[in-house]
Amino acid sequence: MSNALFTYTLRLADDLLILSQRLGEWCGHGPVLEEDIALTNRALDHLGEARNLLTYAGQVEGKGRTEDDLAYLRMERQYTNVKLVEQPNGDYAHTMVRSFLFDAYHLPLMQALLKSTDEQLAAIAGKSVKEATYHLRASSEWIIRFGDGTEESHQRAQAALDNLWTYTGELFESDAVLEEMTKAGIAPDIAAIKESWSKTVDQVLSEATLKRPADAFMMTGGRKGLHSEHMGFILAEMQHVTRAYPGAEW
Amino acid sequence: MTEVKNLEELFQAKIDAEQKIEPKDWMPDAYRKNLIRQISQHAHSEVVGMLPEGNWITRAPSLKRKAILLAKVQDEAGHGLYLYSAVETMGTSREQTIEDLLSGKAKYSSIFNYPTLSWADIGAIGWLVDGAAIMNQVMLCRTSYGPYARAMVRICKEESFHQRQGYEIMAVLAKGSPEQKEMAQDALNRWWWPSLMMFGPTDANSPHSAQSMKWKIKRQSNDELRQTFIDRTVQQAEVIGLSIPDPDLKWNEASQHYDWGAIDWTEFNNVVAGNGPCNKERLAARNKAHNDGTWVREAALAYAAKKAKRKAA
């Protein structure tokens, strides 16, 4: 049980940590100053939630690992985030579509986790729901602006959607860990999260006049630590200072 | 002519009586121009300053440091926004002000043309660069132009937090492993002199200073502020066991201040003239962000226009 809880908590944390890392790359390079602020805010919220989850994962594991041990001293095979969040930023449409596809999953997940039988996860979700609500609203608004904005923005948003769609299946995969967590009332029923996600996606894409891609081949592997080639570079950049000075305090 | 003279006298009388000048008040053209230049330079410095610090967000060595750095760089973007708004109160649009930065016409603080080469540079920037900026900004909280003074009050609160977090990074490094201490000392060595240059030319070589003081845009001279900064910072360095890279530095009992060595003004002039280590990169990064963002801004405008049209129909 504690093994599955550790894995489950880590998965939640890794999605947020890696997405935050990607969003942090934008800092100082946003399309307009207000968006620079919004992007760093988003990165900061995800990082805050990831830190809470990593700390908790370390406690559940019971081997004394801290948030930093888990963030900085695992290799990519031990990272369990979905491949969606490790995809490169691309243009602003790619970044926003990636966030939108994630936010539309993250919000109902957090809302459902409020009722988790695991008090700590419920408490973390309690902190996150407000932020997640804002994130989904903001990314939805950009998808609508892009889709219903100019010809160019429409094309860019559709291209991003077509490109990233293959990474959405992984958000709703189930396996023995998730089944155990769901049975214990710790994790919500993932099918219900998918239904909510799908509804949000349809609503927003329809208002944006964008086309929902067909569910063709879906990428998989992230939850088992099988990532895209991007992941090694993300971790190399994130971890190199910490690893160069083992045991140092910062 | 007499009328303008009277207006100028009234204006100066208001300043002498410590009343704030507000956007709709009459003001001499030179006062307006001086302020537009100063506030826009300040705004650009906040925005360009995001680049050397943003450079370390993805590499911060702990999650806590990463979160603090993200929040700090976000603050700088916010400062840029208030200051662009303050420029707008003087009748220059944000687009025009930004255009002047991108074309290289407008200046920003030369300190941001130096590279951030190690994690300790993030500490040094907070401690020294923000520390030097605060000296100026605390003074500017009492500047004669109302919107600028009010923007500064808020900015100062945040900058003082930035300065403390930078100093704390340095303190932790200085008491860490020998390699960490070396990293901190190296950062101090590289950022010390450029930080002193942030206060601008010496009073003797600062032609606009006298007028700015008369108008109470500035209230303390470059040299006074620089000396206060040195006196304070030398003591802070001692506390954490780092050495100021100035062989001529020594306490002067008579003046109750530190005496210190000569600034290399050739380097300063070179960096101001565009020949610093990162001038080209900084401007290129701002231009790239602006150009890559064009379609985003256009989409937002197009959508807003469509929405307004639908609402009207």
Side-chain angles (χ1 to χ4, degrees), chain A residues 7-22:
Chain A
T7 305
Y8 180 67
T9 308
L10 210 50
R11 288 174 181 179
L12 296 173
D14 288 349
D15 284 350
L16 291 154
L17 180 61
I18 299 303
L19 186 54
S20 169
Q21 181 74 5
R22 277 296 191 207

Side-chain angles (χ1 to χ4, degrees), chain A residues 17 20-21 24-25 27-38 40-44 47 50-51 54 67-68 71-72 91-93 141-142 144-150 152-153 156-157 207 234 237-242 245 248-250, chain B residues 47 50-51 54-68 70-71 73-74 76-78 80-81 84 94 98 119 168-169 172-173 176-177 179-180 183 285-286 289-290 292-300 302-304 306 310:
Chain A
L17 180 61
S20 169
Q21 181 74 5
E25 293 171 17
C27 192
H29 308 280
V32 61
L33 209 41
E34 284 84 346
E35 282 307 292
D36 253 313
I37 295 176
T40 35
N41 204 47
R42 195 179 267 278
L44 201 52
L47 178 59
R51 291 180 64 191
L54 286 172
E67 57 170 17
D68 285 337
Y72 288 93
D91 63 9
Y92 207 55
E141 281 170 2
W142 273 114
I144 293 165
R145 270 185 215 120
F146 288 157
D148 197 18
T150 63
E152 181 181 2
S153 67
R156 283 177 185 266
E207 198 178 338
I234 293 175
E237 185 171 345
M238 183 168 93
Q239 298 176 338
H240 92 272
V241 179
T242 318
Y245 302 91
E249 299 276 325
W250 300 96
Chain B
V47 173
M50 293 168 72
L51 297 170
N55 185 33
W56 279 89
I57 285 175
T58 56
R59 295 179 289 166
S62 75
L63 297 182
K64 181 182 144 200
R65 292 291 177 201
K66 191 192 287 286
I68 294 172
L70 267 168
V73 181
Q74 186 186 34
E76 312 294 5
L81 269 187
Y84 284 127
R94 181 166 145 196
I98 290 175
W119 169 250
E168 202 233 333
I169 288 176
V172 169
L173 291 174
S177 67
E179 290 90 346
Q180 284 178 299
M183 191 193 284
R286 285 317 310 159
H290 188 79
D292 289 353
T294 303
W295 71 268
V296 177
R297 298 188 299 275
E298 283 171 1
Y303 177 72
K306 279 187 195 174
R310 277 177 214 144

Side-chain angles (χ1 to χ4, degrees), chain A residues 61-110:
Chain A
E61 190 193 33
K63 291 182 184 165
R65 286 205 275 183
T66 64
E67 57 170 17
D68 285 337
D69 293 336
L70 288 166
Y72 288 93
L73 302 177
R74 279 184 299 149
M75 299 297 284
E76 57 259 53
R77 289 289 279 116
Q78 286 131 20
Y79 260 86
T80 57
N81 55 280
V82 290
K83 286 180 175 173
L84 175 68
V85 295
E86 71 201 44
Q87 296 310 303
N89 288 335
D91 63 9
Y92 207 55
H94 260 84
T95 292
M96 272 302 139
V97 168
R98 184 186 60 197
S99 272
F100 167 67
L101 294 172
F102 181 79
D103 296 343
Y105 149 84
H106 185 227
L107 176 61
L109 177 66
M110 286 300 122

